[in-house]
Each structure stands twice: as structure tokens, then as C-alpha cells.
Amino acid sequence: MRVMAAIFALMFSLVACAADKAPAAYQAGTHYTVLETPVRTMDPSKIEVTEVFWYGCGHCFKFEPMVHQWSEKLPGDVDFERSPAMWNALMEVHARAFYVAKALGVFDQVHQPLFNALNLERKRLGNVDELADFFADFGVDKDKFEKAYASFGVASQVKQADARARSYKITGTPEIVVDGKYRISARQAGGQAEMLKVADYLVAKIRDERS
């Protein structure tokens, strides 16, 4: 009987050691990148998940339905944000369109149509006039659009988004940044659906650390 007890104890010890040495489901440097310098989030009381995207990016276009559905199911302690990327003049124009839509309260109406216009209809929407005509189809007065487009508030948000992407050290779009600390790309995660799984893992990791 003592021999059996000793065997069971040894087996339990080996299993415990194996569990201690088992790798995490997702590993830093493999499935996601740890930012050298964390970026301040908008609300420190929440876990912030930020998608960095561009309306003209075909990968972002394919990712949008997935990330939208995923974001709708996030718990109350998580904030989901979108932040436009811009490394050329055209992307800055589209970033301004994003913040104008927010400022004028028509984001929900124009967000997906902007993706469709650039990726399906092959429109450029490369200047204020073309965008004013586009927004007019959704009931936005052209003068009102142009004033918002040129406003200090929109310009400031565009600059902040650009600075944020630089701090994140974004290498492409779409990418996800969790709580200003961890950056996830499709290449690292193994695909777009896996990006969201890694994000879930990191959200749970941060939640455990905070508790």
C-alpha cells in the first residue's frame, strides 16, 4: 500500500512539474510583440484594444466583419478603439474622413461604405471634394463636411493617431494593440482570426495581473 502511495505521489509530482514547465498558449516574440515603451491609453481603468487600420487596405477590408463582430461581444472592462494608420498623403486624407465621420455623428453610417468604396468600387476618394460628395450621399451638408475636415479638432486627432501608430511601431495593417503594451499582427498570430484569439488571451492576462 505504501509503495502504491509513493508511486501516485511521484506521478503527481511529475505532472505538476510538467504543468509548471508547459509553455503559455501564446508567447511573446512569437505570437505577439511586447512594446519596449508602453503607450498611454485613453482610459487607464479599462483594458484598451486598438485596431490600427486603413480604409484602402484589402486586408483591413476582410478583417472588418470579424473585428466588428468580436468587438460587439467584449465585456464592460474592455474598450475597443480604431486608429487610422497613415504613412502617405492619401492615408492622411482617409484618416481625416474617419475623424470627420466621428465628429459629425455619422460614423456608423459611413464606416463600412468607405471600405466598400475603396475596395469594391475602386474609388480613390483622395481629396476633400471627393469625400464631401461621398458624405453628401449620407445626408451630410458639403459645407459642414468641409468645415469639419479643416477643423483644428480633426487635425489634432489625425496628428495624435499618427503619433500613436509610430509609438506602436506599426509594420502594416491591420494590427491590434492591447492596452498600449502588446502588438499583434496576422503574420505573428498565424492569421486574422488568430489575431483576435491572441487579443483575448492578452486581455485575460492583463485582467489577471490587475486583480
Side-chain angles (χ1 to χ4, degrees):
M1 190 71 178
R2 290 180 179 177
V3 173
M4 291 298 295
I7 291 173
F8 281 124
L10 178 60
M11 291 175 62
F12 178 80
S13 176
L14 290 173
V15 170
C17 289
D20 288 341
K21 294 179 181 179
Y26 299 107
Q27 296 181 330
T30 300
H31 302 99
Y32 61 92
T33 297
V34 180
L35 298 181
E36 292 181 7
T37 304
V39 180
R40 186 173 60 182
T41 59
M42 297 181 187
D43 182 354
S45 69
K46 298 289 187 74
I47 301 171
E48 182 177 286
V49 178
T50 303
E51 179 204 9
V52 183
F53 78 103
W54 171 39
Y55 281 119
C57 166
H59 297 296
C60 300
F61 175 66
K62 293 178 181 178
F63 188 49
E64 176 57 26
M66 282 188 277
V67 74
H68 174 74
Q69 184 178 24
W70 177 82
S71 68
E72 291 288 294
K73 299 176 182 178
L74 290 173
D77 64 338
V78 181
D79 274 347
F80 176 69
E81 303 288 344
R82 292 180 175 90
S83 186
M86 59 199 93
W87 42 79
N88 60 47
L90 181 61
M91 293 175 77
E92 181 178 339
V93 169
H94 296 157
R96 281 181 176 267
F98 172 81
Y99 287 113
V100 169
K102 292 272 192 179
L104 298 182
V106 294
F107 176 77
D108 291 340
Q109 294 96 304
V110 305
H111 181 61
Q112 187 60 52
L114 277 168
F115 270 120
N116 296 343
L118 290 163
N119 292 277
L120 297 179
E121 301 164 25
R122 300 301 178 185
K123 293 181 178 179
R124 182 175 171 79
L125 298 181
N127 56 57
V128 63
D129 292 329
E130 291 176 356
L131 281 169
D133 288 338
F134 176 86
F135 274 70
D137 290 339
F138 297 89
V140 177
D141 179 78
K142 289 187 178 182
D143 288 340
K144 190 174 182 179
F145 174 86
E146 290 173 0
K147 287 179 181 178
Y149 186 92
S151 69
F152 175 79
V154 166
S156 296
Q157 289 176 305
V158 167
K159 288 181 180 179
Q160 289 169 17
D162 186 36
R164 193 159 47 240
R166 293 176 187 276
S167 297
Y168 291 155
K169 300 188 184 301
I170 294 299
T171 59
T173 54
E175 291 192 357
I176 289 177
V177 176
V178 180
D179 217 41
K181 300 176 182 177
Y182 309 111
R183 189 182 73 243
I184 310 165
S185 68
R187 180 184 57 80
Q188 282 184 301
Q192 291 189 342
E194 287 72 19
M195 288 174 68
L196 300 176
K197 293 178 183 178
V198 177
D200 283 333
Y201 166 78
L202 292 171
V203 165
K205 177 179 182 295
I206 293 167
R207 186 182 291 120
D208 289 343
E209 292 171 350
R210 291 185 177 186
S211 63

